[in-house]
Amino acid sequence: MPGSMAISHTDALVMLSHTDAEQLATVLQEMSGLLEQPGGDRLSDAQAEALCEGKMRRDELTEWSRKLSGYLRDHL
């Protein structure tokens, strides 16, 4: 149709330095470990809920942080 246009959502580009990306990958990996391990060193349910602002369950946050850490490491 003449004169028509499509409007779509575009994501903003986010850039991190190599060092920051390495550190973020490490933090996410450690966080996933603290979320899934049993015992006293485990992040509490309240801490896990605060980390994801109540938008994910503990197991979802664990998996998300593990996958994102791996993705970052794979692309460094």
Side-chain angles (χ1 to χ4, degrees), residues 2-66:
S4 66
M5 58 187 243
I7 300 173
S8 64
H9 176 76
T10 58
D11 293 321
L13 178 64
V14 175
M15 300 199 51
L16 294 172
S17 71
H18 185 84
T19 303
D20 286 344
E22 286 178 323
Q23 187 173 358
L24 179 58
T26 299
V27 168
L28 289 168
Q29 182 180 5
E30 291 298 318
M31 185 176 73
S32 68
L34 291 171
L35 284 163
E36 68 186 353
Q37 73 183 22
D41 290 335
R42 172 184 172 130
L43 286 175
S44 70
D45 290 339
Q47 290 168 321
E49 187 172 329
L51 282 170
C52 66
E53 299 175 325
K55 296 178 183 173
M56 286 187 250
R57 296 186 322 262
R58 175 185 210 93
D59 59 334
E60 292 173 323
L61 180 58
T62 303
E63 186 65 20
W64 175 83
S65 60
R66 184 183 303 113

